[in-house]
Amino acid sequence: MQPRGCGMEIKMEQQDNSRLKQILKNRRDKLAEYAEAGMDPFKITKFERDNNAKNIRENFEEYEGKIVTVAGRLMSKRRMGKVGFGDLSDRDGHIQIFAKKDILGDEEYERFKKLDIGDIIGATGEVFKTETGEISIRVSKITLLSKSLQPLPEKFHGLSDQDLRYRKRYVDLIMNGDVKNTFVMRSKILTAMRNYLDSRDYLEVETPILNTIAGGAAARPFVTHHNALDMDMYLRIATELHLKRLIVGGMERVYEMGRQFRNEGMDIKHNPEFTSIEIYEAYADYNDMMDLTENLMRYVAETACGTTVINYQGTDIDLSHFERLTMIDAVKKYSGVDFNEILNDEDALAAAKAKGLEVEKTKSTRGDIIALFFDEYVEDKLIQPTFITDYPVEISPLAKRKPSQPELTERFEVFITGREFGNAFSELNDPIDQRERFMHQVALRAAGDDEANMLDEDFLNALEYGMPPTGGLGIGVDRFVMLLTDSYSIRDVLLFPTMKPLDK
């Protein structure tokens, strides 16, 4: 027996499907009519326009009474007898078009009446203001440039389905101006980051995406196969090791902004492919990288947003001030456990047990457990910009040891809104120490940790030629864009986020 109301729902769905089929047929019939009349819009290769909606609206006094030609998508249409109105939307705004039968003529006005919402048109006419004060174009000519064969979503169920918006970003951009604004802002943010570094004599470079070794980060790589060489290769998980080779080669100040690929889970903070920027400077250390991070973020916020106080999900974030805490001090502050008084692995394990924390067998050293305490008690408390410094050597295979505390490294991460935004070191340039740390990572991989670093002999060879003291920094660009655009999910700042196919 069907549940009460189920039959009505099925009937309504059938009616919707039938109505949609009719709409699709009508649109194709109209396209056929245009083709038969020798005006197939898809045969038009170019359309000359001399203006856009935003410019006309912002400079009405200059354009009033003048003839302009614009182009864009028809987003609405209404008719009152021999007069029609439409809303034309282009990249930067929208403007009303005013169609009058006496001006267009009978044949052209009939074509205007047959236009569908979503059609892309060109319009030529006189700029004026209606009696209601609406800036408009009194069209004397309309050209159909592309026929929309699919109805826009509001005709049916709208764009309330967030999953559908990510899958069909092209429709999302048509319907939601705020979405388009987010990606315009993203472009401004990336440009500002580049401008800041370029103006300070950093050189932008490009390094390989396909690698024979996945290195530079603790992450699971994507594996592909090169047919000509008959060998497996990896999509890069970081640009670090290639960029440090360039420092060895004497380039001194380099950066790369680009895609990284990590074969890991997806959530509001993670996407399998994402954008990062990595920056390396010879003769600098992690303190210089902290200054660079703070100044870069402040500059970008001021340039792209006009302020260093950013409201993110209801909380004001002040990028004009960054707190600095060591990892051990942060753990003490938020968990009450002082690892300055816990000096060996056994006591660290006991402290974790006392707190009920589960320790993995391959990550049971004092340094690993400090990191475990940090993840459990600290990270989500770091709302305002905070540098966490001096990480244990066990979790920092590419960072230089602190001379005064060799069990720690000159490393920091920057946290905002309880999330990591960047990672930086005084880079390890001792090839002997680097080999020992790589071998520890190799042992972890052999024990089942598929995120541990691989041994990179060529990188070790590069270090043996001599790398100067170097500061290195990596920033998660997508997360920074999320912050500056008040976006909840990383998918909101990626034009085409990774999505599971519907048939899966």
Side-chain angles (χ1 to χ4, degrees):
M1 174 181 283
Q2 289 183 347
R4 186 184 299 269
C6 182
M8 179 65 72
E9 291 175 3
I10 293 174
K11 185 176 181 180
M12 290 177 63
E13 182 177 351
Q14 290 173 340
Q15 290 174 343
D16 281 347
N17 289 337
S18 176
R19 183 166 173 258
L20 176 59
K21 288 180 180 178
Q22 186 60 49
I23 289 173
L24 295 176
K25 181 180 183 301
N26 288 344
R27 292 190 175 215
R28 282 160 174 75
D29 288 346
K30 290 178 183 178
L31 176 62
E33 289 179 18
Y34 268 89
E36 290 174 6
M39 295 184 293
D40 186 343
F42 296 122
K43 291 185 178 180
I44 297 174
T45 59
K46 184 177 180 179
F47 183 79
E48 293 285 354
R49 54 180 178 170
D50 57 29
N51 229 303
N52 63 68
K54 180 181 179 182
N55 189 47
I56 295 169
R57 292 175 67 87
E58 291 183 350
N59 300 283
F60 172 71
E61 292 78 9
E62 178 183 346
Y63 288 103
E64 183 177 15
K66 293 185 177 179
I67 303 299
V68 297
T69 298
V70 296
R73 190 179 298 273
L74 188 64
M75 297 301 295
S76 68
K77 191 184 73 168
R78 63 192 186 280
R79 288 188 301 108
M80 294 179 291
K82 298 181 180 180
V83 174
F85 299 87
D87 186 63
L88 184 145
S89 175
D90 59 24
R91 189 188 72 169
D92 297 313
H94 66 91
I95 193 166
Q96 179 172 271
I97 58 172
F98 174 81
K100 194 173 183 181
K101 187 175 183 179
D102 291 348
I103 296 175
L104 282 173
D106 293 345
E107 191 173 341
E108 287 293 325
Y109 190 70
E110 283 302 308
R111 292 198 183 97
F112 168 78
K113 287 165 58 177
K114 290 183 178 181
L115 290 175
D116 289 309
I117 305 303
D119 286 349
I120 296 175
I121 63 172
T124 297
E126 178 188 358
V127 176
F128 79 109
K129 189 177 287 186
T130 65
E131 293 180 359
T132 60
E134 180 69 24
I135 295 172
S136 307
I137 298 174
R138 185 183 288 109
V139 292
S140 54
K141 183 179 181 181
I142 296 177
T143 305
L144 179 63
L145 302 174
S146 181
K147 183 66 186 171
S148 176
L149 300 178
Q150 291 280 349
L152 294 180
E154 282 134 327
K155 290 292 183 181
F156 296 95
H157 306 298
L159 283 176
S160 58
D161 185 340
Q162 189 67 58
D163 184 81
L164 181 62
R165 291 176 62 185
Y166 295 143
R167 292 180 186 279
K168 297 187 177 182
R169 182 68 85 188
Y170 43 91
V171 181
D172 194 21
L173 290 167
I174 292 171
M175 304 308 304
N176 296 310
D178 289 345
V179 173
K180 185 184 293 184
N181 291 339
T182 293
F183 292 103
V184 170
M185 180 63 75
R186 180 186 174 103
S187 180
K188 291 179 179 178
I189 291 167
L190 269 59
T191 297
M193 295 180 80
R194 285 189 165 100
N195 287 345
Y196 181 87
L197 294 169
D198 292 346
S199 68
R200 284 155 181 80
D201 202 28
Y202 291 88
L203 181 68
E204 184 173 11
V205 297
E206 294 175 300
T207 62
I209 290 175
L210 282 175
N211 292 282
T212 55
I213 292 173
R220 184 183 297 113
F222 285 95
V223 184
T224 187
H225 190 79
H226 192 293
N227 291 331
L229 297 176
D230 191 23
M231 61 182 289
D232 285 342
M233 299 188 78
Y234 304 93
L235 297 184
R236 70 183 180 196
I237 57 176
T239 55
E240 178 167 344
L241 301 187
H242 279 99
L243 292 175
K244 287 201 280 195
R245 285 173 169 91
L246 300 181
I247 297 295
V248 170
M251 299 189 77
E252 293 196 0
R253 288 188 173 202
V254 295
Y255 76 92
E256 181 170 12
M257 187 185 299
R259 289 282 175 151
Q260 317 299 331
F261 306 86
R262 298 184 182 178
N263 196 354
E264 300 169 350
M266 298 186 293
D267 57 33
I268 62 169
K269 298 184 292 184
H270 298 91
N271 192 71
E273 59 175 309
F274 61 96
T275 300
S276 75
I277 185 169
E278 292 200 32
I279 307 161
Y280 292 85
E281 180 179 347
Y283 312 108
D285 68 1
Y286 78 142
N287 291 300
D288 296 304
M289 293 299 104
M290 271 187 264
D291 293 339
L292 175 61
T293 303
E294 192 167 350
N295 293 333
L296 173 63
M297 287 188 165
R298 182 184 300 120
Y299 171 85
V300 173
E302 289 176 338
T303 302
C305 305
T307 178
T308 58
V309 178
I310 307 299
N311 187 276
Y312 183 76
Q313 303 293 298
T315 300
D316 282 341
I317 304 299
D318 186 359
L319 292 173
S320 69
H321 174 72
F322 286 65
E323 185 178 0
R324 301 188 182 194
L325 280 173
T326 69
M327 177 173 275
I328 288 176
D329 287 344
V331 167
K332 179 181 178 181
K333 178 178 179 179
Y334 291 104
S335 76
V337 177
D338 187 358
F339 278 90
N340 285 316
E341 298 177 356
I342 299 173
L343 303 179
N344 57 58
D345 296 348
E346 292 76 16
D347 290 345
L349 281 167
K353 184 177 180 180
K355 286 287 190 178
L357 299 181
E358 185 176 341
V359 179
E360 297 179 32
K361 289 183 179 180
T362 60
K363 297 181 179 180
S364 58
T365 68
R366 174 178 175 271
D368 289 317
I369 293 169
I370 292 172
L372 178 63
F373 268 76
F374 179 83
D375 291 344
E376 183 70 23
Y377 293 105
V378 181
E379 183 169 348
D380 63 353
K381 310 296 193 305
L382 305 177
I383 305 303
Q384 294 301 323
T386 305
F387 292 118
I388 298 296
T389 67
D390 301 353
Y391 279 49
V393 69
E394 292 92 337
I395 60 170
S396 309
L398 298 167
K400 184 172 286 191
R401 295 176 189 264
K402 285 179 69 71
S404 60
Q405 293 174 282
E407 75 279 7
L408 301 178
T409 61
E410 292 194 346
R411 174 187 176 188
F412 74 80
E413 289 183 306
V414 57
F415 292 88
I416 311 172
T417 66
R419 300 170 179 174
E420 178 216 338
F421 277 68
N423 186 21
F425 317 141
S426 294
E427 300 294 338
L428 180 59
N429 63 342
D430 179 346
I432 298 171
D433 190 358
Q434 183 66 83
R435 180 176 292 277
E436 291 174 357
R437 295 204 223 170
F438 270 155
M439 295 312 296
H440 175 67
Q441 294 289 307
V442 169
L444 291 178
R445 288 189 71 84
D449 184 356
D450 56 4
E451 292 188 354
N453 281 250
M454 298 179 182
L455 179 64
D456 190 333
E457 285 287 0
D458 182 72
F459 176 67
L460 291 171
N461 187 60
L463 288 185
E464 290 187 356
Y465 279 90
M467 185 176 86
T470 298
L473 164 66
I475 295 174
V477 172
D478 303 311
R479 291 187 185 180
F480 193 35
V481 175
M482 288 170 63
L483 175 68
L484 297 186
T485 59
D486 192 18
S487 298
Y488 176 71
S489 169
I490 192 172
R491 293 183 176 186
D492 296 328
V493 299
L494 299 175
L495 279 167
F496 300 102
T498 302
M499 302 293 292
K500 183 178 181 179
L502 290 174
D503 60 3
K504 299 294 184 182

